[in-house]
Amino acid sequence: MKKAISNIIILLIYLTPFFGINEVCTFLLIESPLPIIYYKAPKEGLLVILLILASIYHIKNGIPRHIFFVLLCLLSFTVIVFIFSSGNLFTAVAGLRWSLPFFTSLLLIGLIDLNLLRRLALAMSIFICFNFVTQIYEMYNMPAIRGFNQFGLSGRVSGFFSNASMAGVVACFTFFLVRYFAAFGSKAKLFIYLICIASVFLSMSSTGIAVLILLLVSPLFLKSSHKLVWILGTIPVGLALFLNLDLLSGRQEGSSDISFSTRIDIFLRQFTNVELISSRFGEATNTAVNLNKNLFSNGDAYISDSLFTSMLTNYGLIFFIGFLIILFMLVMYVLKKEKDDLTVFFVMSLLCSIPLIIVEIYPVNLIISVMIAYYTTPQLVKKRRVFYPTSPINQYS
């Protein structure tokens, strides 16, 4: 069953261009060959199958006790906010879709190994090349609906993605996978690095630029014996980069400041109206926004543009505080492990979660779930496991 799960993960990556055909057709103002559901339904179906197979694996083989406890709490909380949601059904279902990566991260624990990550790095390398070529084509043939780049051509091109920030973040996560897990040679790695860098700049994504800088600088920082000097030097340099993100990304002056301040305003506005247990499950999701628009629904969905804001709205204050506690524990764990790839993965995931609903950005949400499971698995090998009634009694450890 592990092999089937691994194959589904890789298949999902290879099918990503197919899932994004409708977006490309929209940007190029051409009619899509098929209705959008034919492109999106296979992805959702495969993700659900992945969850079902992972669940069956753990039912047969057991699951570490504390992971079982976290999974049970997450499931219980999700069911409660879903049942008591005051919005329409489409909005609540959108909330379920938004929550799936949390379950995927937990259920993939014990199922991810280094060989799968090498295959994943290869699959993402192939995909990013396709996406880069698509971005080039869009730059020359797409109407400048997002403005112009430095060359006077269409700017913020995103390839197979609906949002330019998605393209930038996907390129950065591909860069990460190739650096730490790819099994091919240094020349091939260098080629993919250059493709990823070019893809980020074509997307003109401020988040992509910030994460890319992190990826380029992190090896120097992590290997340095003078980390305090690096940290002290990072503060003014980081501030200077933040103030000049528009220059680095090629966007109109002031765009990044407006984007950042808008996200802060949205978070503060939601925080002042937060409930202990949310009755607005699904409202702070991109899926609900799209469903309400396409189905002419009157739901109260809004664009939150932040994982933290969406979690606050969708689950409520109690869950949000629990999430912050877990986040703090993860920071301590990462600092204790002093593992380069783990540190970079954690920081870039956190950085992307601030201005984006990272759990709704495919395939980054799948990559993050896989990586969380990979980094968690070695710590659980010797943990006492919970088994279901169908398991033989002698399987207890």
Side-chain angles (χ1 to χ4, degrees):
M1 188 168 292
K2 278 188 176 183
K3 185 177 180 181
I5 291 171
S6 297
N7 288 338
I8 290 176
I9 292 172
I10 300 303
L11 177 62
L12 278 162
I13 300 300
Y14 281 124
L15 288 177
T16 303
F18 174 78
F19 302 147
I21 288 177
N22 186 75
E23 281 75 7
V24 176
C25 292
T26 300
F27 295 144
L28 297 177
L29 302 181
I30 59 178
E31 186 177 353
S32 175
L34 298 170
I36 187 172
I37 191 172
Y38 287 94
Y39 301 115
K40 305 303 180 183
K43 178 184 69 176
E44 307 303 330
L46 285 171
L47 289 172
V48 170
I49 291 173
L50 180 66
L51 282 174
I52 292 173
L53 290 180
S55 300
I56 293 173
Y57 173 86
H58 288 301
I59 289 173
K60 289 184 176 180
N61 298 281
I63 188 169
R65 288 187 181 277
H66 58 298
I67 297 300
F68 178 78
F69 174 76
V70 173
L71 186 61
L72 185 62
C73 289
L74 177 63
L75 179 61
S76 301
F77 216 97
T78 303
V79 170
I80 290 171
V81 293
F82 177 81
I83 292 175
F84 292 100
S85 173
S86 60
N88 61 35
L89 180 61
F90 292 122
T91 301
V93 171
L96 290 179
R97 182 181 183 272
W98 168 88
S99 69
L100 283 182
F102 301 119
F103 291 97
T104 306
S105 300
L106 294 171
L107 289 172
L108 287 181
I109 290 174
L111 297 168
I112 307 300
D113 55 24
L114 183 59
N115 181 59
L116 174 60
L117 294 188
R118 288 172 176 165
R119 294 174 63 194
L120 185 62
L122 176 61
M124 286 303 300
S125 298
I126 294 172
F127 167 72
I128 204 65
C129 291
F130 275 104
N131 197 64
F132 175 68
V133 171
T134 306
Q135 285 178 287
I136 293 292
Y137 185 84
E138 288 175 349
M139 184 173 65
Y140 282 98
N141 296 280
M142 186 178 91
I145 55 177
R146 297 170 177 161
F148 297 91
N149 60 20
Q150 301 93 325
F151 308 106
L153 302 170
S154 290
R156 292 181 64 76
V157 290
S158 52
F160 292 103
F161 302 100
S162 60
N163 186 288
S165 295
M166 294 181 181
V169 170
V170 168
C172 289
F173 273 87
T174 302
F175 191 110
F176 165 79
L177 286 171
V178 171
R179 169 182 285 172
Y180 293 107
F181 301 104
F184 37 82
S186 57
K187 291 183 179 179
K189 284 187 176 182
L190 178 60
F191 175 75
I192 299 300
Y193 291 157
L194 295 175
I195 293 293
C196 290
I197 293 171
S199 181
V200 170
F201 279 97
L202 285 178
S203 72
M204 300 169 66
S205 165
S206 299
T207 303
I209 294 290
V211 176
L212 180 62
I213 292 173
L214 167 71
L215 287 166
L216 294 174
V217 174
S218 58
L220 300 175
F221 168 75
L222 293 171
K223 295 183 183 303
S224 173
S225 57
H226 306 286
K227 288 185 172 59
L228 181 59
V229 176
W230 270 89
I231 293 173
L232 294 175
T234 297
I235 297 174
V237 172
L239 181 60
L241 290 174
F242 175 77
L243 295 175
N244 290 278
L245 277 176
D246 294 326
L247 178 63
L248 292 170
S249 63
R251 297 170 67 178
Q252 184 178 355
E253 186 175 354
S255 297
S256 297
D257 292 340
I258 294 173
S259 179
F260 182 75
S261 61
T262 300
R263 286 170 167 87
I264 295 295
D265 289 341
I266 293 173
F267 177 82
L268 293 176
R269 188 164 60 250
Q270 296 304 317
F271 190 80
T272 57
N273 298 304
V274 68
E275 302 167 301
L276 289 178
I277 298 178
S278 178
S279 62
R280 303 167 58 197
F281 184 58
E283 287 187 15
T285 64
N286 295 328
T287 303
V289 172
N290 291 329
L291 283 176
N292 288 334
K293 181 175 65 175
N294 295 328
L295 299 176
F296 304 102
S297 173
N298 58 352
D300 295 322
Y302 73 96
I303 300 174
S304 64
D305 273 344
S306 171
L307 177 62
F308 293 90
T309 306
S310 66
M311 191 169 292
L312 188 67
T313 299
N314 293 332
Y315 274 136
L317 186 60
I318 293 177
F319 189 93
F320 185 73
I321 293 174
F323 171 74
L324 293 181
I325 293 172
I326 293 174
L327 190 61
F328 176 77
M329 294 170 63
L330 287 174
V331 171
M332 296 297 101
Y333 172 74
V334 170
L335 292 175
K336 180 181 178 181
K337 293 298 291 184
E338 294 185 343
K339 200 169 183 290
D340 289 3
D341 54 311
L342 172 60
T343 302
V344 172
F345 168 73
F346 179 79
V347 175
M348 66 186 294
S349 298
L350 183 61
L351 190 59
C352 290
S353 298
I354 296 172
L356 300 168
I357 307 179
I358 196 72
V359 294
E360 288 193 291
I361 298 180
Y362 178 85
V364 171
N365 51 5
L366 179 60
I367 294 172
I368 289 178
S369 294
V370 168
M371 296 308 305
I372 290 174
Y374 172 74
Y375 288 124
T376 308
T377 296
Q379 311 305 317
L380 305 175
V381 173
K382 297 181 181 180
K383 296 287 183 182
R384 184 170 174 82
R385 301 173 78 81
V386 172
F387 286 84
Y388 295 84
T390 55
S391 300
I393 192 67
N394 61 7
Q395 284 185 320
Y396 281 89
S397 56

